[in-house]
Amino acid sequence: MKDHKKPYHSIRKPNFIGGKNAFQKFLQENLVYPKEALEKKLEGIAHVKCEISDRGKILKAESIHKLGFGLDEEAERLCLLMKFENTTERGLKIKHTRTIRIPFVLPKEQTIQINYQTTPTQENKGSSYNYTIKF
């Protein structure tokens, strides 16, 4: 029986440690929306081309489609913080190139509902007020 070798395309590609849920959590905890983009109310998806070492570390990150206003720089910074699985395959140390998509979505406005009630006196028989404060 012949010993079949796997073709090149079957080489295992590195995945983010923890999977998709961990990737989403990482973005929520580490993404800092740039001030310039917040002022202009810009949203979009940053595409970053990354070179991943055999040990799962990002060696180089470069934005492919420029969004501007600090979004590209923030996407590159996030990519350099990421850690992927080790990818040593059959004793070979292989570098991988991967495009990572980082979504930038404006944070939703926070609203606080305050209910205010007064105590009844002889002059007024009690009333209530509702206020909505937006940040």
Side-chain angles (χ1 to χ4, degrees):
M1 193 169 207
K2 287 187 176 180
D3 184 23
H4 293 285
K5 291 187 178 182
K6 292 181 182 179
Y8 177 76
H9 66 273
S10 71
I11 291 177
R12 189 173 50 94
K13 295 182 178 164
N15 293 318
F16 189 80
I17 295 176
K20 290 181 182 180
N21 292 335
F23 180 74
Q24 294 297 327
K25 185 178 178 185
F26 171 82
L27 290 180
Q28 287 176 352
E29 291 174 356
N30 295 298
L31 189 132
V32 178
Y33 218 94
K35 189 186 271 187
E36 298 171 30
L38 275 174
E39 290 170 358
K40 300 275 185 189
K41 298 192 178 200
L42 274 174
E43 291 183 328
I45 297 175
H47 296 267
V48 182
K49 184 177 179 181
C50 297
E51 189 175 297
I52 305 168
S53 74
D54 61 313
R55 297 195 177 212
K57 186 175 184 209
I58 303 284
L59 300 174
K60 186 169 45 169
E62 179 183 350
S63 291
I64 297 173
H65 303 290
K66 303 287 183 186
L67 295 173
F69 299 99
L71 294 175
D72 303 316
E73 291 81 8
E74 178 62 16
E76 290 174 9
R77 183 190 72 81
L78 278 173
C79 285
L80 291 172
L81 293 175
M82 292 180 189
K83 183 81 173 137
F84 287 81
E85 297 171 343
N86 293 347
T87 58
T88 303
E89 189 74 29
R90 292 183 254 149
L92 299 173
K93 295 180 180 180
I94 300 171
K95 286 184 192 175
H96 289 274
T97 302
R98 183 176 200 164
T99 301
I100 299 173
R101 297 175 56 193
I102 299 179
F104 285 95
V105 180
L106 287 170
K108 296 185 181 187
E109 290 183 359
Q110 297 178 353
T111 58
I112 298 174
Q113 188 92 21
I114 298 174
N115 294 323
Y116 179 79
Q117 292 185 327
T118 61
T119 55
T121 61
Q122 290 179 356
E123 292 134 18
N124 72 12
K125 296 186 179 183
S127 58
S128 63
Y129 302 95
N130 289 327
Y131 295 101
T132 302
I133 301 171
K134 292 185 178 181
F135 292 96

